Amino acid sequence: MINVTLPDGSKREFADGASPLDVAESISKSLAKKALAARVNGELRDLKRPLDGDATVAIVTDKDADGLELIRHDAAHVLAQAVQALYPDTQVTIGPVIDDGFYYDFARKVPFSTDDFEKIEAKMREIVDADYPIVREVWEKDAAIAEFKRIGEDYKAQIIDDIIPPGEAITLYRQGDWFDLCRGPHLPSTGKLPKAFKLMKMAGAYWRGDSKNEMLQRMYGTAWASEKDLKEHLHRLEEAEKRDHRKLGAQLDLFHLDGMAAAGSVFWHPNGFQIWRQIEAYMRRRLDVSGYQEIKTPQLMDSAQWEKSGHWGKYRENMFIVPDFIPEGDEGVEISVPEDAKLMALKPMNCPAHVEVFKSGQKSYRDLPLRLAEFGCCHRNEPHGAIHGIMRVRQFTQDDAHIFCREDQIVEESIRFCRLLESVYRDFGFEKIAVKLSTRPDVRAGDDATWDRAESGLKAAVDAAGLPCEFLPGEGAFYGPKLEFQLTDAIGRVWQCGTLQLDYVLPERLGAEYTASDGSKQRPVMLHRAILGSMERFIGILIEEFAGAFPMWLAPVQVVVAAISDDAAGQYADEVAAELRKAGLRVEVDRRNETINYKVREHSLAKVPVIAVVGAREAEERKLALRRLGSNGQQIISLDEALVSLADDALPPDLKRAR
RNA sequence: GCCGGCAUAGCUCAGCUGGUAGAGCACCUGAUUUGUAAUCAGGGGGUCACGGGUUCGAGUCCUGUUGCCGGCACCA
């Protein structure tokens, strides 16, 4: 007999060889019908796979996260089966579950087209209707390899050969006349797969994620427990697309991009740059009170400088190189660069220049920690396929700073930084911040004791700021561990923004030193850190986060004074605007010959936070009719009161706190 | 950089199997002076991304280039 413990703590007895399906049936017929798989002693297993002995069993249905994952995994298998049925010249490779769905990588000479999707989806539905039992089979490694080779699936054979240790068994899952290598578990039959799936897009992907390998064809799909969930998901995607910073950037006249004129560089328009200025001003205030000193360093530096820092050797291919010579003056004469022309490079980062500032003059231990900040404009020659809106560009401005300190100051400085970052992100409305701690790689500089201190110091800093943190073992730079702070855009793409990196190497390479209390020369440790990361990327994420409706303190135009008619009301509108501007607000007046309906609509679409409507009545009584973005009502308020309350609303969060 | 898709007015798009371009919005002008999400009328505006080819004739077909989009690779 087998003793089974259920999630509610109750116990039941079953005959030897019983499966989770038997358990489900003993509870209720409807549960057995809804059952997709089971958690047996915590491990996700096939419904019909017999229990090995006494166990705790929880039945998994499509209401569980596990169930949804199974559905997506099965959808991938059904997709592969459908594709091979329709296109026999296709080889299968891998097909994992991802957020909201799945993909499958196929190898086939002829490119698939999204036009094929309808046909493939129809075939997938056929496979569901056929309700093939999905059967688990255990194979010997070599036999499985031989079998996959026999049917021409070279990729599968290679996967087994590489991943499975010799002698170990593997599992195959068979549905109808089709089977795939898979760890499982799976649904009991294809008929259990809800038809709430949809193929989304085609993309290229390298075999094993290595650009030296051939490229496969990746088919992305989404799958859900019900038609309703699928619809909701597609609706969410549509909504998210409307928040795309590239779309809103054009609609709100914030910036434009021109791939011909300047690929990967942003043309900021007055509205967009107003947001930039507000963010920069805010950051300056935060840095000023946090003990940073702002500097400005050269855009172009001699290649010798980059050679010393080590960037020339390793990162040259991503740097913009400028020969230092005077070209021939005549128009039409082809420019030839003299062979002996010195080379200069646009800075891809600010660190070496900051070390130069540190090195100039003498530094004492009394000067440490020295925190040098710069809104540093950097250029990186990014691969063309990497450029994305204003999130990944070739010219960008980092809110960069380097903290030069003694080793025993690292933890304290890291804590201060994490607290500052957390507070800044909260001011911008970000509650959820993903933090990644990348730890020592196999090949590294420095002894283990130093790494121990550095890693635990960073962890302590994250904890002190109250942030959750995920470890990325072995992902650190060779010179030190690093923290990455990530934010997510409208459609769920993750972007690195803030960072904190420990560096013992660059001060050494560039010969930075300070005089210690005993008179000896010592090396400072360098902390590279950025909070926003890049102004461009951060503003891009803000646009998507707020869907263009910026909080008042960031809004390019905070108030539009809209006159109902252009007579006395028009003059009063000018007067109101002047008063509001005196109170420090960014104001525009709309005295155009248009209806008030038209003006309200236009400024609402432009996402102006406050529309102050003034007509004859308001002019007469020296009042304003305030309409706030997102509300239909209006608030009639005296001009004097409005001046105070709007100025208060427009205060940046740090100044609000200090008030 | 790689795979696939796309490129028509400032924007969003239409333009059938080849017969030298069209709508809405925006813009300009006029009328209207308006009470909380589009007042009416008129007008101007396009080397159909760029280069080559096929054809009597190319926005449409072929080809090369560039750029953009979706992924992959990269992201100090």
Side-chain angles (χ1 to χ4, degrees), chain A residues 13 23 76 86 151 157 161 195 212 235 255 272 310 321 364-365 472 532 577 586-587 605 617:
Chain A
E13 283 197 343
V23 176
L86 293 168
I151 60 171
D161 201 23
K195 285 184 192 158
K212 287 196 277 295
H235 179 69
F255 60 83
I321 310 300
S364 143
Y365 71 97
L472 299 177
L532 311 178
R586 297 186 288 278
V587 185
L605 289 174
R617 284 203 298 275

Side-chain angles (χ1 to χ4, degrees), chain A residues 8 24 54 63 65 137 212 230 245 277 290 385 389 435 450 489 512 642:
Chain A
D8 64 1
D54 292 353
K63 297 279 178 289
E137 296 176 7
K212 287 196 277 295
L230 172 62
H245 74 279
R277 295 198 342 169
S290 302
V435 187
T450 310
D489 70 13

Side-chain angles (χ1 to χ4, degrees), chain A residues 27 116 311 334 407 421 535 542:
Chain A
I27 298 169
D116 300 324
H311 294 103
E334 204 166 301
E407 211 197 320
L421 178 138
M535 296 293 286
L542 280 182

Side-chain angles (χ1 to χ4, degrees), chain A residues 295-316:
Chain A
I295 58 175
K296 204 73 183 172
T297 61
Q299 207 61 46
L300 275 171
M301 286 205 298
D302 200 287
S303 59
Q305 201 61 33
W306 299 108
E307 276 165 36
K308 268 192 256 170
S309 71
H311 294 103
W312 192 254
K314 216 170 162 191
Y315 303 112
R316 193 170 37 188

Side-chain angles (χ1 to χ4, degrees), chain A residues 299-519:
Chain A
Q299 207 61 46
L300 275 171
M301 286 205 298
D302 200 287
S303 59
Q305 201 61 33
W306 299 108
E307 276 165 36
K308 268 192 256 170
S309 71
H311 294 103
W312 192 254
K314 216 170 162 191
Y315 303 112
R316 193 170 37 188
E317 60 196 32
N318 292 314
M319 290 166 70
F320 287 101
I321 310 300
V322 183
D324 186 6
F325 81 110
I326 299 171
E328 291 78 4
D330 292 329
E331 211 181 325
V333 174
E334 204 166 301
I335 291 173
S336 64
V337 181
E339 269 182 38
D340 60 347
K342 267 203 324 186
L343 293 182
M344 307 192 74
L346 280 168
K347 65 175 169 185
M349 50 182 37
N350 308 298
C351 341
H354 285 203
V355 176
E356 291 309 310
V357 173
F358 179 88
K359 278 166 61 185
S360 77
Q362 299 182 58
K363 293 294 176 291
S364 143
Y365 71 97
R366 295 176 201 275
D367 297 320
L368 306 186
L370 185 69
R371 309 182 189 91
L372 298 178
E374 177 174 9
F375 291 93
C377 179
C378 296
H379 289 80
R380 295 181 187 177
N381 198 349
E382 301 284 7
H384 282 76
I387 291 168
H388 179 92
I390 65 173
M391 302 282 214
R392 179 98 178 258
V393 284
R394 303 208 294 179
Q395 177 191 305
F396 58 99
T397 299
Q398 294 178 318
D399 65 319
D400 206 0
H402 293 92
I403 301 171
F404 297 88
C405 63
R406 300 190 311 262
E407 211 197 320
D408 62 284
Q409 293 172 320
I410 291 174
V411 174
E412 169 67 18
E413 285 304 307
S414 300
I415 290 173
R416 287 175 60 128
F417 171 73
C418 287
R419 287 201 171 128
L420 177 60
L421 178 138
E422 196 271 340
S423 155
V424 167
Y425 278 33
R426 204 146 24 83
D427 278 349
F428 282 104
F430 295 107
E431 303 285 343
K432 271 181 270 164
I433 310 160
V435 187
K436 304 283 156 75
L437 173 51
S438 300
T439 58
R440 66 193 80 183
D442 293 338
V443 182
R444 57 180 179 266
D447 55 79
D448 283 355
T450 310
W451 277 92
D452 286 341
R453 283 198 303 278
E455 286 169 6
S456 61
L458 289 187
K459 181 70 173 73
V462 179
D463 291 344
L467 296 166
C469 168
E470 189 187 321
F471 285 89
L472 299 177
E475 294 288 306
F478 79 95
Y479 50 75
K482 64 176 174 185
L483 283 174
E484 287 178 13
F485 302 86
Q486 300 173 331
L487 295 172
T488 305
D489 70 13
I491 66 164
R493 283 182 286 227
V494 172
W495 297 93
Q496 187 195 311
C497 292
T499 185
L500 173 62
Q501 295 184 34
L502 255 57
D503 186 356
Y504 295 84
V505 173
L506 200 59
E508 171 83 37
R509 290 194 76 123
L510 296 178
E513 53 186 26
Y514 65 91
T515 308
S517 56
D518 62 1

